[in-house]
Amino acid sequence: AAFEHTTVHRVEARVQLDNMRSIALVEKFGFQYEGVERSGLKFADGRRDHRVYSLLRPEFTEARGAL
């Protein structure tokens, strides 16, 4: 609902490389894969790479209209 109740233009999702369920979810909702951000997530045992996805307002609006 980020696009329905705000003026936000872009929403990002960051997903751990091996989290296949989260990858499937963001792709199901139309997020576009942009690439890997190296050492972007910090954990107690160190930093990890993650996949970056984004969804733009026009893409969201187009997908909603197709439903």
Side-chain angles (χ1 to χ4, degrees):
F3 295 114
E4 295 174 336
H5 303 290
T6 68
T7 60
V8 170
H9 178 72
R10 174 186 170 94
V11 174
E12 291 184 5
R14 287 172 162 70
V15 181
Q16 289 186 53
L17 298 178
D18 60 350
N19 190 337
M20 301 312 291
R21 286 185 176 184
S22 291
I23 291 168
L25 182 67
V26 295
E27 290 178 354
K28 176 181 178 180
F29 284 111
F31 281 71
Q32 300 296 309
Y33 174 68
E34 294 189 341
V36 174
E37 184 172 46
R38 300 181 307 146
S39 296
L41 293 175
K42 185 177 180 180
F43 290 86
D45 62 347
R47 294 191 161 273
R48 299 183 192 161
D49 299 347
H50 63 272
R51 295 170 66 109
V52 178
Y53 289 84
S54 69
L55 183 65
L56 304 178
R57 179 180 290 276
E59 297 165 345
F60 174 79
T61 303
E62 182 179 310
R64 293 284 293 207
L67 297 177

